Amino acid sequence: MSAPFQRYSTIAMAFHWIIAILITAMVFYGWWMEDIRDQAFAGEVPFTTVEAVYNWHKTTGIAILLLSLARLGWRLMHTPPPLSPTLKPYEKLAAHGVHFAFYGVMIGAPIMGWITASAGQFPTKLFNSALTLPRLPVPQTEGFEELAGSLHGASGWVILILLGLHVGAALKHQFLDKDGNLARMIPFVPAPKTHAADDER
Ligand code: HEM
């Protein structure tokens, strides 16, 4: 007999989708933000716009950091439904590895951004208001800011690579293996037919 179909809890799904959307958008926002900065150096955009655009990036990044820490805390206190028994051992290992790495970048990328911002000369005005993010105790030198900025920028690529692996695996299970794995994380996707009764519980 196959194991019962179990969805993730509503809180786990909410954390998953809110962070997934925000973090993916942030990578493209980060690249766009650098274009805006270059346009300001070319005299096409005022520097006050650049400052506002950067402050929204930093504010959203800090929100992602807080959400990710809350998600990690919540995850450590709640056991998720077990991975589907239809997964091969190497698939289980890969899934756990990608999930672990995601927690690393969800927390590491914004901290690296905070370090970069702390090394730079501009204050981080949260919500573009008078509320200022404290600086982390890091060297305020151009060299260090450049190094931290490169590592922070690289974390954007790590996020996209992990996302490719994660989404690719989810789609393979949904459309090739048809084992209903995707339905575990999406409330409105029906459970696989063989498990319909379990989903109604
Ligand atoms: C998950 C959250 C975050 C993601 C995915 C992200 C992503 C990015 C990306 C893709 C860039 C462009 C890098 C490049 O093209 O070189 C960037 C730049 C930057 N980010 Fe973030 N970021 C996040 C959070 C933060 C936070 C929390 C802060 C500060 C409090 C921050 C501060 C910066 C700064 C200062 C830059 C400019 C770096 C430079 O010019 O070298 N970021 N970010």
Side-chain angles (χ1 to χ4, degrees):
M1 208 183 80
S2 62
F5 175 78
Q6 261 183 296
R7 286 185 201 271
Y8 282 89
S9 67
T10 308
I11 296 192
M13 287 192 208
F15 271 133
H16 177 273
W17 289 110
I18 292 170
I19 294 175
I21 291 167
L22 285 179
I23 209 166
T24 309
M26 274 290 273
V27 176
F28 295 100
Y29 187 102
W31 289 337
W32 172 75
M33 178 175 97
E34 306 262 293
D35 285 348
I36 295 290
R37 185 195 56 188
D38 293 345
Q39 286 173 26
F41 279 118
E44 294 160 12
V45 168
F47 274 101
T48 45
T49 306
V50 180
E51 203 193 334
V53 164
Y54 268 64
N55 278 329
W56 279 117
H57 176 83
K58 297 172 184 179
T59 305
T60 313
I62 292 297
I64 293 174
L65 175 61
L66 295 177
L67 277 170
S68 301
L69 289 173
R71 180 179 183 183
L72 179 62
W74 195 88
R75 168 70 180 77
L76 293 175
M77 288 187 290
H78 298 83
T79 312
L83 289 178
S84 165
T86 57
L87 260 61
K88 298 177 191 76
Y90 83 85
E91 288 178 318
K92 285 189 183 169
L93 191 70
H96 284 309
V98 169
H99 296 167
F100 188 79
F102 259 128
Y103 275 101
V105 282
M106 271 157 33
I107 291 167
I111 289 181
M112 213 54 231
W114 191 356
I115 291 175
T116 309
S118 305
Q121 60 182 119
F122 297 102
T124 298
K125 294 182 187 163
L126 296 171
F127 304 98
N128 270 306
S129 72
L131 194 64
T132 308
L133 182 73
R135 283 177 188 275
L136 294 172
V138 297
Q140 276 184 267
T141 62
E142 215 171 287
F144 184 80
E145 185 189 2
E146 220 165 88
L147 174 70
S150 312
L151 291 175
H152 180 57
S155 63
W157 284 107
V158 174
I159 289 168
L160 291 190
I161 291 168
L162 289 175
L163 204 63
L165 292 171
H166 188 66
V167 174
L171 294 179
K172 170 187 176 281
H173 285 284
Q174 179 67 13
F175 296 110
L176 297 182
D177 304 340
K178 298 188 171 56
D179 57 13
N181 260 293
L182 192 60
R184 288 150 44 96
M185 200 40 113
I186 307 184
F188 48 81
V189 169
K193 282 200 172 55
T194 46
H195 290 301
D198 296 322
D199 194 28
E200 281 161 18
R201 278 186 295 159

